[in-house]
Amino acid sequence: MKSVDLVIRGGQVVGPDRIVAASVAIEGEHIVAVGHDDVMPSAKQEMRADGLYLLPGAIDSHVHFRDPGYAHKETWESGSAAAVCGGVTTVFDMPNTNPPTGTREALALKLKSAQRSYADFGIHALLDDSTVGHLEDLLAGGATSFKAFVGNTFGNLPPPTDGALLEGFEKLAPLGIRTVVHAENSSILARRQKVMEDAGRIDALAHLAARPAVCEIEAIGRVLTLAEWTGARVHIAHHSAADSLYLIRDAKRRGVEVTVETCPQYLLLNTEDMLRLGGIMRLNPPIREARHNQPLWDALMEGVIDMIATDHAPHTPEEKTRESIWACDCGFPGVETQMPLMLTEVNRKRATLMDYVRWSAVNPARAWGIYGTKGVIATGAHADIAFVDMARSGTLAQGRLQSISKISPWHGRTVQGYPVHTLLRGRFVMRDGELVTEAMGWGRSVKSLQTMPTPRPRNTELYSSAITTTPPGVRPNALPSEDVPR
């Protein structure tokens, strides 16, 4: 084999089912060999990784980089810098920016902003009543997938009607395109919040009282019904409640094409933290009681929940610390802290590194159609690697975050296990814990990598062609008569 660009020697390569001592050879953007040190080719550059674990770069399929429209909260430059400093090499951005990513023009504007990204990226376009008529055009313009805000969130985008959601699923099912769903019942939560406000409740727990777990149970059940009927691929975002897990478990047993994410905040935080931190903790769905934490962990281990995401949703400190909980913006940064938080739990024996790789890289890559090129350290894959020191400990500090948002519920939390270098497509974007600023703009869209299966809709009589085409022998708008077949 000819000389390659880089050989990494002495590390422990982590996959979803095993950890092996191996060296990794990289040429250009790709891995060209993984194996014993003795069989590695010569290289222009060598790097020792003794004592480090080599993990596939994490894939966070739920970030809000706020760009365009809310640059005072975050930009593609700052958000993606946070990602790569947290060992995350690919992100999928949400559409509730300004303008929302629901037109070809708005999508082009976001893709232009993303040219400053340190990380590779996908774009979730908006699925609602205003966009359902041109979903194919958004895909042609560079969208990788869609997001439906069935429950309201930052930006106050109106939720899609059930009719639009069904039509969207019917159109996307034969394309194999997955739709992310924020699954909360908007009618219940809007009414409950008004009741709380009218009663003068402005405390932190009023937000939870306005969004009980039944909001998630009902919305998930509705989404799964439409997905099963159409054969559409759906993804439940930020799963927060133990009570709705049975719906996911049962749907998967029936073969419904559903994937599910949860976030570190739902695994590790609860209402005790909300009482302590107030509006900093406000997000949608809300942080719930402690009884939900362990069932979510169990669901991850069982495979009912497929992956870890962060719902990285930055705001300024002023926007998070207002007196009334209703005036505090929803969300907080998370893309940079996810890996050390989860590695800490691995060190505590709640999971293994192999479990973590499955949740952070393998399963997200499969869900978004990029597995093989992303999500794995193997010959032919992109050289996306997080170099992890499982012995390194420290304290998370919001002032050191790359994000513009310098306010986090994780501030002051002790962790053990850090990414110390991040390699994206063969180039260091973070090294020795420091951002490589020259790598800004190295990130690119994963759209061209996607290989999505194309299932048939399960109920083709309701697919769009059946809706818009009059059956043979039937006169439009005609009452049945003797000469019209019944």
Side-chain angles (χ1 to χ4, degrees):
M1 186 182 294
K2 68 181 181 67
S3 179
V4 298
D5 291 327
L6 173 66
V7 170
I8 303 163
R9 302 184 187 274
Q12 300 284 321
V13 175
V14 185
D17 52 14
R18 61 177 181 165
I19 301 174
V20 296
S23 295
V24 181
I26 297 164
E27 173 68 16
E29 299 184 1
H30 292 85
I31 296 169
V32 294
V34 180
H36 196 276
D37 197 54
D38 292 344
V39 300
M40 287 296 107
S42 61
K44 299 167 189 172
Q45 180 184 358
E46 292 194 359
M47 179 180 183
R48 299 298 309 183
D50 303 275
L52 301 179
Y53 292 88
L54 307 183
L55 278 59
I59 299 169
D60 191 338
S61 57
H62 192 152
V63 304
H64 298 265
F65 282 173
R66 306 299 192 201
D67 189 3
Y70 304 104
H72 71 287
K73 298 174 186 283
E74 195 76 290
T75 65
W76 271 93
E77 180 181 344
S78 61
S80 63
V84 299
C85 286
V88 176
T89 51
T90 304
V91 296
F92 285 76
D93 189 63
M94 292 294 169
N96 55 330
T97 40
N98 187 19
T101 317
T103 66
R104 189 75 171 260
E105 294 74 23
L107 177 58
L109 192 62
K110 178 167 286 189
L111 288 169
K112 182 178 180 180
S113 296
Q115 290 176 2
R116 302 192 303 275
S117 182
Y118 286 91
D120 283 354
F121 56 88
I123 303 293
H124 298 308
L126 183 65
L127 170 53
D128 67 4
D129 289 65
S130 70
T131 68
V132 71
H134 57 268
L135 301 181
E136 297 88 346
D137 188 53
L138 288 166
L139 290 171
T144 52
S145 36
F146 289 90
K147 172 70 176 286
F149 292 95
V150 173
N152 83 312
T153 190
F154 177 80
N156 291 318
L157 298 176
T161 61
D162 292 345
L165 198 60
L166 174 62
E167 185 178 337
F169 286 179
E170 287 174 328
K171 289 182 174 181
L172 296 174
L175 304 177
I177 299 298
R178 196 174 295 273
T179 300
V180 183
V181 181
H182 177 139
E184 289 184 284
N185 182 297
S186 285
S187 175
I188 294 174
L189 60 88
R191 183 176 180 85
R192 292 273 179 130
Q193 180 172 328
K194 185 177 186 305
V195 170
M196 294 290 161
E197 291 180 290
D198 290 347
R201 289 280 304 274
I202 63 171
D203 59 285
L205 291 186
H207 179 61
L208 172 60
R211 303 176 93 109
V214 70
C215 291
E216 187 169 285
I217 297 168
E218 189 282 329
I220 289 176
R222 180 162 30 114
V223 167
L224 292 175
T225 297
L226 299 181
E228 186 168 18
W229 179 259
T230 59
R233 286 178 156 79
V234 293
H235 177 78
I236 304 300
H238 40 47
H239 197 291
S240 69
D243 310 86
S244 49
L245 288 169
Y246 79 96
L247 292 167
I248 303 295
R249 186 177 289 108
D250 290 348
K252 288 192 169 189
R253 286 171 180 164
R254 295 195 308 273
V256 180
E257 280 285 354
V258 56
T259 53
V260 186
E261 71 185 43
T262 193
C263 310
Q265 53 264 33
Y266 300 118
L267 296 168
L268 301 172
L269 301 176
N270 55 58
T271 48
E272 293 300 313
D273 301 286
M274 193 144 194
L275 288 171
R276 178 171 54 89
L277 295 172
I280 294 172
M281 292 272 289
R282 190 185 184 207
L283 78 165
N284 305 317
I287 300 295
R288 302 194 184 277
E289 301 89 345
R291 72 175 181 85
H292 295 271
N293 295 139
Q294 189 57 48
L296 293 174
W297 274 105
D298 294 341
L300 261 176
M301 296 301 297
E302 184 185 343
V304 174
I305 295 176
D306 301 272
M307 67 190 75
I308 292 291
T310 65
D311 192 8
H312 174 86
H315 303 284
T316 66
E318 187 275 330
E319 292 166 335
K320 292 295 293 178
T321 54
R322 295 164 178 150
E323 181 181 5
S324 170
I325 191 65
W326 311 117
C328 296
D329 284 352
C330 294
F332 47 76
V335 72
E336 189 171 351
T337 51
Q338 175 268 122
M339 189 173 287
L341 287 167
M342 295 302 294
L343 294 179
T344 300
E345 300 308 305
V346 170
N347 270 319
R348 291 173 177 166
K349 309 302 182 185
R350 292 189 86 168
T352 68
L353 270 177
M354 295 173 287
D355 292 325
Y356 176 69
V357 163
R358 194 162 51 250
W359 303 333
S360 66
V362 175
N363 290 347
R366 291 188 187 281
W368 307 113
I370 55 177
Y371 182 74
T373 306
K374 303 286 190 183
V376 63
I377 297 177
T379 301
H382 278 167
D384 298 352
I385 300 173
F387 296 68
V388 165
D389 184 347
M390 290 298 290
R392 182 184 171 191
S393 61
T395 302
L396 298 177
Q398 58 196 17
R400 294 201 297 266
L401 295 177
Q402 294 289 331
S403 175
I404 290 173
S405 177
K406 305 295 186 189
I407 186 163
S408 166
W410 307 112
H411 177 68
R413 193 179 186 97
T414 300
V415 293
Q416 183 180 355
Y418 273 94
V420 292
H421 317 297
T422 305
L423 198 66
L424 171 63
R425 288 185 285 107
R427 180 172 181 175
F428 283 99
V429 287
M430 186 265 282
R431 193 159 192 175
D432 296 319
E434 298 292 331
L435 180 70
V436 179
T437 56
E438 296 81 5
M440 186 185 72
W442 180 241
R444 72 183 187 203
S445 172
V446 300
K447 172 70 176 178
S448 63
L449 305 177
Q450 283 189 296
T451 305
M452 303 299 291
T454 53
R456 292 169 60 92
R458 295 194 178 191
N459 285 280
T460 53
E461 73 272 14
L462 286 187
Y463 190 55
S464 57
S465 61
I467 295 172
T468 58
T469 304
T470 303
V474 176
R475 296 195 303 270
N477 303 317
L479 292 174
S481 65
E482 292 304 320
D483 60 337
V484 178
R486 300 193 184 193

